[in-house]
Amino acid sequence: CLDVLEHVEPECIDAVLDDLKRLVKRVGLFTVAVGPAKTLLVDGSNAHRTIKPVKWWVEKLEARFNHVRVFISNEAGFGVIVQ
């Protein structure tokens, strides 16, 4: 799931993460941007709907997966492997 989660509306993120938990059978690889996108939607809002710090995302993932390992993290975003 690469460059997707930040595009999910905040009120839907828990449901999406729950569904990803259901779909991941062994290992999942996610990347998440943590800042605003350069792209704006037609209504003028930012294309990144859920802009939260790495810690917020990791806590959400740890609530659903037994193993969460951040393998890269910088000002733009992070990559994580979950099991």
Side-chain angles (χ1 to χ4, degrees):
C1 185
L2 307 177
D3 189 32
V4 173
L5 292 174
E6 65 272 14
H7 295 278
V8 176
E9 292 83 358
E11 62 272 14
C12 299
I13 198 69
D14 285 325
V16 169
L17 292 175
D18 290 344
D19 202 38
L20 285 172
K21 168 62 176 159
R22 181 184 62 82
L23 292 169
V24 172
K25 299 300 180 199
R26 297 191 66 188
V27 177
L29 171 65
F30 306 146
T31 61
V32 184
V34 295
K38 295 176 184 171
T39 305
L40 298 179
L41 301 177
V42 175
D43 67 0
S45 64
N46 198 277
H48 289 174
R49 309 306 290 168
T50 302
I51 300 172
K52 300 288 184 181
V54 174
K55 183 178 186 293
W56 184 90
W57 286 103
V58 169
E59 288 173 356
K60 291 279 189 185
L61 294 168
E62 287 176 337
R64 292 164 174 85
F65 296 96
N66 294 325
H67 302 285
V68 176
R69 180 172 173 254
V70 176
F71 65 88
I72 188 169
S73 181
N74 58 40
E75 64 281 345
F78 69 102
V80 63
I81 296 172
V82 299
Q83 290 181 306

